[in-house]
Amino acid sequence: MERQAAYLRNALFDQGYLDEQFLQLEDLQDQANPHFVEEVVKLFYTDSVRLIQSIELTLKNTPRDFEKLDKIMHQFKGSTTSIGAKKVKKECTQFQEYCNVGNVEGCIREFQEVKQEHAALKRKLENYFQLAREAR
Amino acid sequence: MIVEGIRGDAENFPVGMRVLAVDDDPTCLKLLETLLRKCNYNVTTTNQARVALKMIREKKDRFDLVISDVHMPDMDGFKLLELVGLEMDLPVIMLSANSDPKLVMKGVTHGACDYLVKPIRIEELRNIWQHVIRRKKVDSKNQNRSSDQTKAHPASGEGHGSPLAGNTDQNGKFNRKRKDDDDETEDNDNEYEDNGTQKKPRVVWTIELHRKFVQAVNQLGIEKAVPKRILDMMNVEGLTRENVASHLQKYRLYLKRISTVATQQANMAAALGVKDSGFMHMGSLDGFGDFRTFSGTRLGNVALSSYPGGMLGRLNSPGNVNMRNLTPSTLIQPSLAQNLSSSINSLGKMNLVLPTSNQTPSLFQGIQPSLELDQLQHNKGTANFTSINNSRIFRTGSAGAALGSSNNLLNSPMSNPLLLHGNTQQPLSGGRFGNQSAPFTSESFNNGVSDPANENWQNRVDASKMHPNTLLSAEPFHSQLPLNGLRDNNSSNGTYLQNNPIDLSSGLALPPFEDSREMQCQVGPMGDVQNMSQSWSEQRQGSGIVNQKMDIYTGGRSSGGASALVQQNGKLVTESIPRSNEDFLFEQPKLPSGLTPQGYDSLDDLVNAMIKREQDETVPNGEFAFDNYSFGAGM
């Protein structure tokens, strides 16, 4: 179990899903805060749903309000940065670039990517936490 | 936490340092909280800026440091920064996922003592306590100066160890400037003691008091004015020679700054060309950018100074002329006037300010028309104001706005602060300014105005923010001066800006502006205004003080005519100051018609009023600014 959990965790790093920031989170986990990482991730996913929905809605309105989109995405990106979600963050940046140039198609496409990465990471982390919990 | 007022765990500082963390993103907030706890700080969190403000306000000494995100839905982080800095004089650290230098600059100009980029590493948080120490030292120094300086403790108070060395040096240097080791040790000593225990009661330099002070100084002659004689002349019970000495020091710095700015303005004016439009552009363009920075403010000041000339001119043609022709020593006033005008202009357009330069002839022209326009176009002005100095400018802006409405000075954010000062200074409007500027200034605007235009201001205002407060609260003047200088980030800007705000404030006194400005300020609705004023006054205290003083000084300089104004202002101001926002609402600035070219005296009053306001922390900002300005006008 432990090995499996560790393996999964390393894979996440190797595959670029997570970056050093995640390590910071882990560092903060200790006796006083035994489930810190999981809590933060959970918090992230709960909160990010609202942001994603907001972007969806804004993307539907025409003409596209790029400034608003950029603003929401900036917020979203801030969160993803905090937990070290590397791939998601990358897609966010890409999305913002499309916003800056007013590329609607690009934004829509990129947003799909963001959502995908966001969901993929969620699954992986959930697995990992599951294993880690069982291993304890 | 043992005792509420005490700064955390004094012995083990920074352990237990009380930090307030504000971030609307729950993920980031939780992370921040945990990081801070890991550093052994005492952490309080909230995801709303308004709640944060409330918490800070309800108990002055509750926190040592505030960390806030920049992008928040309920209130802009910079706005919070300004308010906290002005009202509470708490160190504030900004946080953002965005590392854009423009934002960082904005943070600096608004008074942040640091700007961190997410994701934050724990190492970055381990050293943030230095900002607390630094500020305490500065405060301590300011306070200690007034008190007796017999304490001669070794630098034990200095630091909590070597890390403080850096801070100490800074403070030490500052101390040294004043007095040599005595101050330093004294400050250190006091700081050390005071930090943990209680602060020495500050002398509140009310408008009245300041006016007396300026009168005394003027009577003695700025060169011959020594604390002892000033004290005797003022004949105020309970005032010590030290109080006067430190106040005098601030005043001197203020004057110096004014004259420097005036020079700059002159240059700017020259560069810009005297045209109004030229002014405006200048201000708005580079002027603003510069204003933001240290130099920028200068211009603003310069502009302001010229403006006052104009303003004065308007009110008192003879007065104006005099102003302009004032000798360098006396120029201070004109400079202030200029600043006022500049500020006013800036409100409308920064540009205007610039042209004013010391020469001001051109400025006056530019300003005058603008002034007149302003008056007519309060609205314009206000609108401008808001944009310029949301927080600050409004205050003065109101006045300035009115003035500069035509000018659209407001565009230049920088100018706002200046304008504000200028406005206030404009004792021309006489009483109005005093009243107006004080309350009205940025505070009201800020609240009311919150639009993007304000944003500009904010940036500018940041710097100016410091000022508006000063303007309005005459009191802050004294305290602020030193503070402003001391502030790490803002010092340069802050100081300058501070002057400006004051100017504006005075300028704001103009009743006519109020109307238009009020729009902006008033928008804030009294409530906002009040808040504004509060924050404003508070801010001013820090930064504004310097400015206000300036204004006051200029006011003092002005001819006797101004005295009438001053009185008015003083009256108005004083009234408003002690009161909470509500009061001001009712206390409409009598200035409008009454103001008439009383001259600088009113400025003095204004300044005093402003200072008073500032000092009067409890008195919501609204008091100052709002009283005169917003409420009177059109609210």
Side-chain angles (χ1 to χ4, degrees):
Chain A
M1 266 310 158
E2 258 180 55
R3 254 183 308 123
Q4 263 186 294
Y7 177 78
L8 202 52
R9 175 187 169 278
N10 291 341
L12 285 173
F13 279 102
D14 293 338
Q15 289 164 19
Y17 283 98
L18 298 174
D19 60 25
E20 318 77 51
Q21 181 60 21
F22 195 81
L23 291 174
Q24 280 254 336
L25 293 184
E26 291 181 329
D27 276 345
L28 289 174
Q29 187 158 293
D30 55 17
Q31 289 262 353
N33 241 331
H35 309 290
F36 179 67
V37 186
E38 195 174 342
E39 280 167 13
V40 176
V41 171
K42 221 183 281 199
L43 204 50
F44 166 72
Y45 274 102
T46 312
D47 187 59
S48 56
V49 166
R50 145 185 90 84
L51 290 171
I52 289 185
Q53 278 173 357
S54 179
I55 297 181
E56 292 259 29
L57 225 57
T58 313
L59 261 181
K60 291 207 173 80
N61 295 338
T62 48
R64 282 1 186 274
D65 188 346
F66 289 110
E67 201 172 307
K68 184 167 178 205
L69 284 171
D70 183 72
K71 192 156 165 260
I72 309 173
M73 183 48 84
H74 176 80
Q75 263 187 288
F76 180 71
K77 190 168 126 182
S79 298
T80 64
T81 310
S82 296
I83 66 161
K86 198 167 171 186
K87 282 199 179 181
V88 184
K89 184 168 132 186
K90 197 163 76 128
E91 304 299 340
C92 288
T93 309
Q94 188 64 31
F95 179 88
Q96 281 185 301
E97 280 174 24
Y98 281 126
C99 275
N100 287 342
V101 299
N103 184 341
V104 178
E105 287 307 313
C107 278
I108 297 178
R109 243 194 353 248
E110 192 55 40
F111 185 57
Q112 296 308 315
E113 293 290 325
V114 169
K115 283 194 289 185
Q116 268 175 18
E117 289 296 339
H118 181 255
L121 179 64
K122 182 173 183 196
R123 278 195 313 271
K124 291 192 189 287
L125 283 176
E126 273 172 356
N127 282 348
Y128 166 63
F129 288 133
Q130 174 92 9
L131 283 177
R133 250 181 283 128
E134 287 168 17
R136 258 185 246 133
Chain B
M1 188 67 85
I2 306 139
V3 180
E4 278 285 358
I6 297 187
R7 181 166 45 92
D9 184 353
E11 274 81 50
N12 293 338
F13 188 84
V15 169
M17 181 173 80
R18 298 157 303 166
V19 182
L20 174 63
V22 190
D23 193 333
D24 65 310
D25 185 317
T27 315
C28 297
L29 188 63
K30 182 159 176 82
L31 177 59
L32 182 60
E33 180 185 11
T34 312
L35 284 170
L36 290 169
R37 289 240 157 84
K38 204 66 182 231
C39 296
N40 293 321
Y41 301 142
N42 184 308
V43 188
T44 309
T45 62
T46 174
N47 61 354
Q48 287 181 47
R50 301 208 180 275
V51 170
L53 258 183
K54 180 159 157 287
M55 285 200 279
I56 297 175
R57 281 178 177 150
E58 70 189 13
K59 205 174 170 61
K60 286 295 164 176
D61 276 342
R62 191 169 162 189
F63 299 108
D64 296 308
L65 180 75
V66 178
I67 299 187
S68 166
D69 185 46
V70 166
H71 302 283
M72 290 190 287
D74 68 328
M75 186 193 290
D76 184 30
F78 292 117
K79 172 95 178 289
L80 175 67
L81 163 61
E82 279 185 12
L83 294 177
V84 172
L86 286 172
E87 285 181 42
M88 264 61 79
D89 193 29
L90 268 183
V92 181
I93 295 180
M94 301 307 293
L95 220 56
S96 177
N98 195 332
S99 62
D100 183 3
K102 289 202 208 70
L103 281 186
V104 178
M105 173 61 87
K106 192 172 175 187
V108 168
T109 56
H110 277 69
C113 49
D114 208 346
Y115 190 106
L116 302 176
V117 180
K118 294 182 192 170
I120 308 195
R121 293 187 320 278
I122 197 165
E123 300 80 44
E124 295 179 271
L125 294 175
R126 289 209 190 276
N127 287 333
I128 59 176
W129 55 265
Q130 62 178 283
H131 301 296
V132 177
I133 296 292
R134 193 173 294 138
R135 192 154 295 210
K136 291 245 186 264
K137 274 196 159 308
V138 171
D139 279 357
S140 198
K141 197 173 170 19
N142 295 336
Q143 281 188 353
N144 292 338
R145 284 202 42 89
S146 317
S147 49
D148 75 87
Q149 311 184 339
T150 44
K151 289 187 208 182
H153 293 263
S156 52
E158 288 258 14
H160 292 270
S162 41
L164 289 177
N167 296 328
T168 309
D169 289 344
Q170 224 169 336
N171 293 321
K173 277 201 218 125
F174 182 85
N175 292 337
R176 274 187 215 107
K177 253 202 244 169
R178 305 268 177 115
K179 280 184 185 211
D180 284 5
D181 297 335
D182 284 352
D183 279 3
E184 188 172 4
T185 46
E186 185 185 317
D187 279 345
N188 293 336
D189 182 56
N190 290 332
E191 184 189 0
Y192 186 79
E193 287 177 5
D194 288 348
N195 285 343
T197 52
Q198 75 283 14
K199 284 193 175 208
K200 293 202 168 70
R202 269 191 196 196
V203 168
V204 167
W205 281 88
T206 64
I207 302 273
E208 278 305 312
L209 204 59
H210 181 75
R211 187 148 43 95
K212 277 198 178 135
F213 172 82
V214 177
Q215 273 173 8
V217 169
N218 290 339
Q219 266 177 280
L220 293 167
I222 191 74
E223 275 87 34
K224 293 216 178 67
V226 287
K228 183 86 178 71
R229 293 174 74 185
I230 296 174
L231 183 65
D232 291 341
M233 245 187 212
M234 283 174 71
N235 195 20
V236 170
E237 210 178 286
L239 196 65
T240 70
R241 195 203 71 83
E242 284 80 19
N243 296 142
V244 176
S246 76
H247 193 73
L248 178 65
Q249 190 160 30
K250 291 194 187 137
Y251 188 59
R252 287 214 178 104
L253 287 175
Y254 168 76
L255 296 180
K256 204 154 132 226
R257 196 191 335 222
I258 295 285
S259 62
T260 320
V261 170
T263 320
Q264 280 203 351
Q265 284 192 340
N267 295 336
M268 290 287 296
L272 293 174
V274 187
K275 293 182 183 187
D276 288 343
S277 53
F279 287 101
M280 311 238 286
H281 296 309
M282 282 272 311
S284 50
L285 302 176
D286 299 330
F288 286 109
D290 288 344
F291 272 102
R292 296 243 219 126
T293 54
F294 188 71
S295 51
T297 4
R298 297 219 177 184
L299 282 182
N301 292 327
V302 172
L304 289 175
S305 25
S306 48
Y307 186 75
M311 292 271 306
L312 289 175
R314 256 191 329 124
L315 297 175
N316 257 335
S317 2
N320 291 329
V321 175
N322 297 336
M323 288 289 295
R324 294 214 239 155
N325 298 330
L326 287 176
T327 59
S329 54
T330 53
L331 260 181
I332 299 208
Q333 287 192 346
S335 308
L336 289 174
Q338 285 192 343
N339 290 330
L340 285 175
S341 41
S342 342
S343 28
I344 301 195
N345 288 330
S346 29
L347 289 178
K349 287 194 183 194
M350 289 288 291
N351 296 322
L352 289 180
V353 174
L354 298 177
T356 46
S357 66
N358 294 323
Q359 312 288 319
T360 66
S362 53
L363 284 176
F364 275 111
Q365 286 157 19
I367 300 181
Q368 296 199 346
S370 41
L371 286 176
E372 291 174 342
L373 288 176
D374 294 330
Q375 303 212 332
L376 295 177
Q377 309 176 354
H378 296 296
N379 298 328
K380 282 202 201 164
T382 11
N384 291 334
F385 284 107
T386 30
S387 48
I388 300 196
N389 289 321
N390 289 327
S391 52
R392 307 266 174 104
I393 306 198
F394 270 110
R395 304 234 205 124
T396 49
S398 316
L403 296 175
S405 49
S406 54
N407 297 320
N408 289 334
L409 290 177
L410 294 178
N411 295 333
S412 36
M414 289 292 290
S415 47
N416 293 328
L418 292 178
L419 287 179
L420 288 176
H421 294 296
N423 292 330
T424 46
Q425 296 254 340
Q426 302 249 347
L428 296 180
S429 35
R432 286 202 300 188
F433 275 103
N435 300 325
Q436 297 197 343
S437 10
F440 199 74
T441 47
S442 41
E443 289 277 334
S444 31
F445 283 108
N446 290 325
N447 290 333
V449 196
S450 55
D451 12 286
N454 293 334
E455 272 240 8
N456 295 335
W457 293 10
Q458 298 228 333
N459 293 331
R460 294 196 237 205
V461 175
D462 287 334
S464 47
K465 257 213 308 198
M466 306 276 273
H467 304 302
N469 294 324
T470 48
L471 285 178
L472 293 178
S473 45
E475 300 182 343
F477 172 64
H478 45 249
S479 48
Q480 301 221 343
L481 258 188
L483 285 181
N484 293 325
L486 298 175
R487 287 223 182 161
D488 304 331
N489 301 320
N490 303 309
S491 33
S492 55
N493 292 328
T495 17
Y496 264 85
L497 289 178
Q498 300 190 342
N499 292 325
N500 294 328
I502 302 188
D503 292 340
L504 289 175
S505 323
S506 34
L508 292 178
L510 299 174
F513 296 120
E514 293 189 349
D515 296 333
S516 46
R517 281 206 293 196
E518 298 214 340
M519 318 180 309
Q520 305 263 343
C521 305
Q522 303 207 344
V523 177
M526 303 300 241
D528 286 348
V529 167
Q530 297 185 350
N531 293 334
M532 287 190 51
S533 26
Q534 284 187 347
S535 49
W536 177 66
S537 51
E538 297 193 314
Q539 292 190 337
R540 282 204 292 176
Q541 298 206 343
S543 48
I545 300 193
V546 174
N547 294 325
Q548 293 200 344
K549 292 203 181 169
M550 308 269 278
D551 291 334
I552 301 186
Y553 294 119
T554 47
R557 297 306 189 117
S558 57
S559 46
S563 49
L565 280 179
V566 171
Q567 320 234 322
Q568 262 187 339
N569 293 331
K571 233 191 319 161
L572 287 175
V573 173
T574 36
E575 278 183 7
S576 40
I577 301 183
R579 259 129 341 252
S580 52
N581 298 324
E582 282 103 359
D583 291 339
F584 3 131
L585 288 180
F586 301 117
E587 292 190 318
Q588 310 226 334
K590 303 190 189 171
L591 306 178
S593 38
L595 290 185
T596 57
Q598 304 270 347
Y600 288 101
D601 286 354
S602 42
L603 264 185
D604 219 345
D605 281 342
L606 288 176
V607 178
N608 287 327
M610 297 202 349
I611 292 187
K612 186 163 190 253
R613 284 210 190 214
E614 288 204 4
Q615 291 190 349
D616 230 331
E617 288 215 339
T618 52
V619 179
N621 296 325
E623 292 196 347
F624 297 116
F626 299 113
D627 276 278
N628 302 321
Y629 206 68
S630 45
F631 300 113
M635 304 279 303

